[in-house]
Amino acid sequence: MSAKTYEVRTYGCQMNVHDSERLSGLLEGAGYVRAPEDADGDADVVVFNTCAVRENADNKLYGNLGRLAPMKTKRPGMQIAVGGCLAQKDRETIVRRAPWVDVVFGTHNIGKLPVLLERARVQEEAQIEIAESLEAFPSTLPTRRESAYAAWVSISVGCNNTCTFCIVPALRGKEKDRRPGDILAEIEALVAEGVSEITLLGQNVNAYGSDIGDRQAFSKLLRACGAVEGLERVRFTSPHPRDFTDDVIAAMAETPNVMPQLHMPLQSGSDTILRAMRRSYRQDRYLGIIEKVRAAIPHAAISTDIIVGFPGETEADFEQTMHVVREARFAQAFTFQYSKRPGTPAADMPGQIPKEIVQERYMRLSALQEEISWEQNKTQLGRTVDVMVAEGEGRKDGATHRLSGRAPDNRLVHFTAPEAPVRPGDVVTVDITYAAPHHLLAEGPTLTVRRTRAGDAWERRESAASEKPAGVLLGLPTVGVPAPLPAVTGGCSVEP
């Protein structure tokens, strides 16, 4: 008899991606196996790990649940579970609108999923269990990582900020920090498995230490990561300008394996709007941070998040955002049209901006950033860079006979496949010959190929997966390094 299969569908920020890896690990620990990549809901258990950030999050979830209802009718024993921020927020509403859902669980008790599924099966009724406080750090739970060579490491959960557009603190709770020793022990264990790149993760990652009473805890953690033998690349997301202090900049500049990359959410360039958002910095403070980072790390690639059309935003306010974008020269910006979320103070603010005005401003901002991104990438022409080979990052690699990976500053690089065999996790050295707004090309020969322990780990995973007998296929990983700058980021950089 074949083992039961599962599928996890993830929406939202890196926290949800990290949680989904844990959900997969929990299910596999309970005896389930991953459904094939093209299963599209044809599994014994389908889990939705939801996001509550966007206004249409509800419609997206219920539309997907509705599509699974007839599949569940035809498949006896199939179970559907809904977790994440939307589940934390809506609770009983989900089962009322979609009574075929078997389990609803929240952001604080993802470790209960296998138990809740079994209880729903035995009792033949929906199980709703929403914890109000964190039961266990996600990183302490079993995991099925999507990448053999790169990993997320959660250093904190929750957020102490009160940004008026953001519902996440109400759903994730107050900030709770892990002990530094536990974090480093996890990193060392990951490196022992072959991981060579880690991304430190938190809703407000550089506020780390507020819960344990050490304002310099984050910079100390970065420096400690530098002492982990075999750890080649360290990234983090997402910081808050309020907590971005000089000791963090120094740690980034002085720790060789901390990458020259920074994602620093701006949200608005207008002091008036920043005040309305309850963002505890102003334009001068923000640009001052960018200036300090560039002075300490000249080749740093800096990216950001920006909200267009926040309630009360005037044309003059929007022009201040455009001014900051011109001054900061971001390598990339994730721009979002303001989305009203019930339960947030901004949803009830006067001065809601008409959709057509928001759209027009959004288009102007996007055009400006596209131009700047291209100019910034052109500065890379002629540079020699080390690229960590990725898996699944180059959609056209098969047709172009190229491979793809990330430079230290996190820019996406497509390069000509060398004659020597190259695996995801290996590192190649190439010369940049062409720049586009969102990627670089290295069209010449590869200068060097360095086979790594990370590449060995990927090869072991591929071999293990291919040796699985029919009916219990785990599936090959389809994601390379964890999406370093996703369109939706955690905590205070979360999409409005």
Side-chain angles (χ1 to χ4, degrees):
M1 182 177 176
S2 298
K4 289 185 176 181
T5 58
Y6 76 90
E7 178 186 350
V8 178
R9 300 186 186 184
T10 309
Y11 307 99
C13 68
Q14 302 100 315
M15 280 291 186
N16 275 18
V17 175
H18 182 59
D19 286 350
S20 288
E21 291 187 338
R22 304 295 163 175
L23 291 170
S24 295
L26 286 161
L27 289 170
E28 292 190 4
Y32 295 86
V33 297
R34 189 173 184 172
E37 295 297 333
D38 59 354
D40 194 24
D42 187 17
D44 295 297
V45 171
V46 179
V47 183
F48 292 89
N49 192 8
T50 64
C51 175
V53 171
R54 294 295 291 168
E55 187 174 9
N56 65 354
D58 308 54
N59 293 335
K60 188 172 186 179
L61 171 66
Y62 294 117
N64 286 322
L65 289 175
R67 197 169 64 83
L68 287 186
M71 298 177 67
K72 185 176 181 184
T73 301
K74 296 176 182 178
R75 184 169 185 146
M78 179 181 179
Q79 291 184 297
I80 299 172
V82 179
C85 287
L86 194 61
Q88 188 80 21
K89 180 174 78 75
D90 283 356
R91 308 183 182 216
E92 291 85 357
T93 303
I94 294 172
V95 173
R96 187 175 70 248
R97 292 185 59 179
W100 54 92
V101 168
D102 299 277
V103 170
V104 179
F105 62 101
T107 59
H108 299 308
N109 62 328
I110 65 174
K112 290 288 187 65
L113 177 59
V115 172
L116 294 173
L117 287 169
E118 180 63 13
R119 191 186 302 163
R121 185 188 66 79
V122 172
Q123 298 182 6
E124 297 183 340
E125 63 180 12
Q127 301 296 308
I128 303 171
E129 187 166 313
I130 306 292
E132 297 301 331
S133 59
L134 187 69
E135 293 185 350
F137 262 99
S139 292
T140 64
L141 300 172
T143 186
R144 185 198 190 280
R145 288 185 290 106
E146 292 297 324
S147 171
Y149 49 89
W152 308 103
V153 174
S154 176
I155 69 170
S156 65
V157 295
C159 180
N160 293 337
N161 293 321
T162 57
C163 300
T164 55
F165 58 80
C166 186
I167 198 170
V168 170
L171 305 178
R172 291 277 181 178
K174 292 292 186 180
E175 181 176 327
K176 184 172 179 59
D177 297 333
R178 291 178 74 190
R179 297 193 318 172
D182 293 340
I183 297 168
L184 291 170
E186 181 182 355
I187 292 172
E188 289 169 353
L190 288 167
V191 171
E193 294 174 6
V195 168
S196 61
E197 175 174 319
I198 61 104
T199 300
L200 302 175
L201 193 59
Q203 301 291 154
N204 183 10
V205 69
N206 62 319
Y208 176 74
S210 63
D211 184 49
I212 56 179
D214 185 353
R215 292 182 59 83
Q216 294 192 340
F218 187 62
S219 61
K220 293 175 183 176
L221 181 60
L222 290 178
R223 293 182 186 277
C225 287
V228 178
E229 186 176 354
L231 180 58
E232 297 191 18
R233 295 186 173 190
V234 178
R235 306 186 191 277
F236 58 88
T237 196
S238 287
H240 191 297
R242 182 196 65 187
D243 302 301
F244 207 82
T245 50
D246 290 349
D247 61 298
V248 173
I249 297 174
M252 292 178 65
E254 296 165 9
T255 309
N257 64 356
V258 176
M259 294 294 96
Q261 171 224 339
L262 175 64
H263 185 71
M264 179 71 76
L266 169 64
Q267 307 301 10
S268 175
S270 162
D271 288 353
T272 300
I273 297 301
L274 288 172
R275 191 174 296 111
M277 290 177 167
R278 291 187 196 154
R279 302 286 285 180
S280 51
Y281 56 89
R282 300 295 176 256
Q283 181 186 119
D284 286 350
R285 158 74 173 155
Y286 186 92
L287 288 174
I289 293 172
I290 301 300
E291 183 178 355
K292 287 181 179 180
V293 170
R294 289 224 164 96
I297 315 168
H299 293 301
I302 302 174
S303 59
T304 195
D305 295 330
I306 301 173
I307 300 170
V308 178
F310 187 81
E313 182 187 74
T314 65
E315 181 63 22
D317 292 323
F318 176 69
E319 283 299 332
Q320 286 298 302
T321 296
M322 296 284 274
H323 168 72
V324 174
V325 170
R326 293 186 186 99
E327 290 292 313
R329 314 298 295 175
F330 298 115
Q332 193 174 15
F334 300 102
T335 55
F336 309 111
Q337 298 182 42
Y338 170 72
S339 178
K340 183 188 294 188
R341 294 306 291 136
T344 63
D348 298 320
M349 285 182 175
Q352 302 286 328
I353 311 299
K355 177 69 175 177
E356 60 273 16
I357 294 178
V358 177
Q359 177 69 20
E360 189 274 336
R361 290 175 183 171
Y362 174 82
M363 296 302 293
R364 272 194 283 157
L365 177 59
S366 297
L368 173 62
Q369 183 55 51
E370 185 87 354
E371 176 185 330
I372 292 173
S373 293
W374 200 354
E375 291 174 358
Q376 290 294 96
N377 275 359
K378 287 176 181 177
T379 65
Q380 303 300 302
L381 291 174
R383 288 194 65 197
T384 300
V385 298
D386 292 332
V387 177
M388 180 177 288
V389 183
E391 182 177 35
E393 295 241 38
R395 297 178 182 176
K396 299 180 181 178
D397 283 352
T400 58
H401 304 290
R402 296 185 185 124
L403 298 175
S404 299
R406 295 281 173 174
D409 63 9
N410 207 41
R411 285 183 165 94
L412 178 62
V413 180
H414 305 299
F415 61 94
T416 303
E419 293 183 4
V422 178
R423 309 158 302 176
D426 288 341
V427 177
V428 300
T429 305
V430 297
D431 290 330
I432 303 301
T433 58
Y434 176 81
H438 305 292
H439 69 267
L440 303 171
L441 291 182
E443 300 167 297
T446 300
L447 303 180
T448 65
V449 174
R450 178 165 62 87
R451 293 173 68 85
T452 65
R453 293 172 58 255
D456 294 341
W458 179 88
E459 194 167 18
R460 286 194 300 272
R461 174 180 282 195
E462 183 180 41
S463 297
S466 64
E467 292 170 2
K468 293 289 181 181
V472 289
L473 178 67
L474 285 178
L476 299 181
T478 59
V479 179
V481 294
L485 296 175
V488 186
T489 43
C492 291
S493 62
V494 73
E495 182 183 356

